[in-house]
Amino acid sequence: MYATVTGSKQKAIRDLQEFGYCILESPLSRTEFKLLSTRLTEVAEQEREDGTAFLYDGGNQRVFSLLNKGEEFEHCVQEPSTLDVMEEVLGFNFLLSSTHANIAGPGGSPMNVHADQTFARPPWPPYALVANSMWMLDDFTEENGATRVVPGSHLLGRQPDYDRGEGDVETVPVCGPAGSVMIFDGRLWHQTGANVTGRARHGILNYYCRGYVRQQQNFFNGLKPEVAERSGPRMRRLLGFENYFSLGLTDGLS
Ligand SMILES: O=C(O)CCC(=O)C(=O)O
């Protein structure tokens, strides 16, 4: 038995330490969930209609830069109980690295097995530099392409070695009811599963990094000004507007 859906922060942290991931019970009300899910579906449909959609792997779709695409996504990246667990993995004043959606469509193929800290050359330190969260906007099942993981692989502290056949390592699906949030260590080997159903599996990936790691998205360049303007202290900190010790200073001042 690996990680299971939990409402307990202590169990979540134990699962993260042992297996490299945990699954939190839905932190959203039904109304909040509906708003988030509806907005993602609308944006994804719109991008397919207007020809700007990023389609890949035979049926899958990425929707990038969600913060520019609806206030619902601003609430999601700041959800307190997920940030609370994230802080256990990434430490004080961690940052939002990026937020985008991955929709595993019918017929979509599995992604290659990988860990999310590809940018870091080996040897990796014995802790995560980044961590991801997968917001399940549909029930995640083995059939509809639930994210698959190699439990415990975060402790290997390296990427799979494809030359030694580790790209074909056995993975297990991480299933949970719609609304659940899987949080996973940046060193965990994982992949999108294959969706063999007739309906899309929607997930939002809110990806975070330590306060001294470069963010995946350049928010100072790409974020709509109105999003930065309406952001409160927590959001400003996540975006990188606050300093991290002597990093990120403005004119030599914190
Ligand atoms: O969509 C998923 O289930 C996982 C996506 C993923 O592995 C990634 O974007 O790195």
Side-chain angles (χ1 to χ4, degrees):
M1 177 61 87
Y2 302 118
T4 48
V5 180
T6 183
S8 150
K9 180 179 169 186
Q10 284 70 30
K11 173 167 162 46
I13 292 163
R14 278 201 308 277
D15 283 348
L16 270 160
Q17 286 166 346
E18 184 173 359
F19 304 118
Y21 70 103
C22 67
I23 314 161
L24 301 181
E25 269 171 19
S26 177
L28 301 182
S29 68
R30 287 170 78 90
T31 311
E32 289 166 328
F33 175 81
K34 185 87 188 134
L35 287 170
L36 184 66
S37 166
T38 304
R39 183 63 194 144
L40 176 62
T41 311
E42 281 169 2
V43 176
E45 266 173 24
Q46 186 60 51
E47 295 190 355
R48 288 197 298 273
E49 269 166 34
D50 64 22
T52 60
F54 183 87
L55 303 170
Y56 72 107
D57 275 357
N60 298 348
Q61 179 180 0
R62 294 260 170 184
V63 184
F64 294 110
S65 303
L66 292 179
L67 289 186
N68 285 340
K69 299 179 180 174
E71 287 193 47
E72 297 79 2
F73 306 118
E74 293 169 44
H75 302 310
C76 182
V77 297
Q78 299 181 73
E79 195 289 311
S81 64
T82 51
L83 294 187
D84 214 20
V85 174
M86 246 340 140
E87 186 165 10
E88 296 289 333
V89 185
L90 297 177
F92 162 80
N93 268 9
F94 64 90
L95 301 167
L96 178 67
S97 186
S98 65
T99 175
H100 61 262
N102 196 27
I103 303 170
S109 26
M111 199 178 191
N112 66 321
V113 179
H114 63 283
D116 280 339
Q117 38 186 73
T118 317
F119 59 86
R121 297 293 99 207
W124 287 353
Y127 47 81
L129 293 170
V130 295
N132 218 328
S133 56
M134 168 56 96
W135 286 70
M136 305 181 188
L137 298 190
D138 296 292
D139 293 341
F140 268 36
T141 66
E142 175 152 27
E143 294 70 32
N144 74 3
T147 310
R148 303 183 67 91
V149 303
V150 182
S153 53
H154 62 305
L155 299 175
L156 297 170
R158 60 174 178 80
Q159 289 287 359
D161 185 340
Y162 300 114
D163 293 335
R164 286 174 35 205
E166 287 178 344
D168 298 322
V169 66
E170 191 181 340
T171 56
V172 298
V174 180
C175 302
S180 313
V181 185
M182 169 194 171
I183 295 183
F184 52 112
D185 187 300
R187 297 167 296 166
L188 184 75
W189 298 2
H190 65 281
Q191 63 181 158
T192 313
N195 185 344
V196 296
T197 71
R199 291 171 59 92
R201 181 227 74 179
H202 297 78
I204 292 179
L205 289 158
N206 292 338
Y207 178 52
Y208 301 86
C209 59
R210 286 189 183 266
Y212 52 83
V213 170
R214 187 155 189 196
Q215 290 148 289
Q216 187 171 48
Q217 261 177 285
N218 187 328
F219 295 114
F220 303 105
N221 204 14
L223 193 66
K224 283 184 177 165
E226 61 265 32
V227 179
E229 276 154 24
R230 66 174 171 250
S231 62
R234 184 169 49 195
M235 186 66 154
R236 289 179 63 77
R237 197 262 291 163
L238 286 170
L239 292 172
F241 284 97
E242 304 295 330
N243 64 305
Y244 178 84
F245 297 102
S246 60
L247 302 178
L249 298 176
T250 305
D251 213 11
L253 300 169
S254 63

